[in-house]
Amino acid sequence: MYDIFEDIAALLHRLPSASTRADDPSSCQPTPSLTRMREAEVLALTEVHNAADGSDPLLDKLRELTALKHEIDERLSHLIVYSRHFVWPRPYQLSVVAKATGLSISGVRAISGRRREMEEVARNLERSDIRGILTPGEVRLEKSLANLEALASKQGWPTVVYRLAGTTSSADVTVKRATDTKKITSVKLPAELSYRIPPSAPVHVSLQNTATEGSVSCEITVDGTVISRDEADGAYVIASCNGTVP
């Protein structure tokens, strides 16, 4: 009669693989260390079985290992996301991460693009990703912005200046910052907003005339070079400037 506890223990703590046994016949027998691990496993399985009033040891172990697999998969996903979006000064290449994990390049790309995992990594690191475009709500904004400013200075990110003007006295403004898009109401004109934003990131500012007459205009400069201009004249019109940081 076989013992299911001993069988489970033997499969959890296995002999060396067949490829290593060819030149070493002694490897067909468990070592003293392996025997002790199997005995400890049998004892643990028995204790759980008795405490749970006769629960099935095989199903219990399957549930335990499934939960562990889910945890490992989650940790793996977070590290993949970290390698692609949070490592300075540049992310790991897809091919390098794929080789390390045994995944395909498309598999790594799919995992690293999951926003939920990106938000979880940002929350635990308490900083934005390397492009400065993700700041989840769980991250304290003040700390994230402080970290981002320090990283921007270290990395030499360009200075983006949004210049707002017009003949109207004020306007409602929407502006793309390094970490988010912010809406500001009743901004007095003229005005100037300055941010450090990483290369290749999109930049945008728009302002709407809230009066029945007058004009509004916008201009975006990157380290002093104009990359976008727009103006509009009339009631409730919108001027919009867009571009990408070189």
Side-chain angles (χ1 to χ4, degrees), residues 9 21 58 66 140 165 167 212 219-220 241:
R21 296 206 311 262
L58 177 57
T66 298
R140 289 177 57 245
T167 59
T212 57
E219 179 182 274
I220 302 177
C241 293

Side-chain angles (χ1 to χ4, degrees), residues 131 158 160 197-204 220 222 227-228 241-246:
R131 294 190 63 191
V160 175
I197 299 179
S200 301
V203 288
H204 165 80
I220 302 177
V222 179
I227 65 169
S228 181
C241 293
N242 301 278
T244 302
V245 179

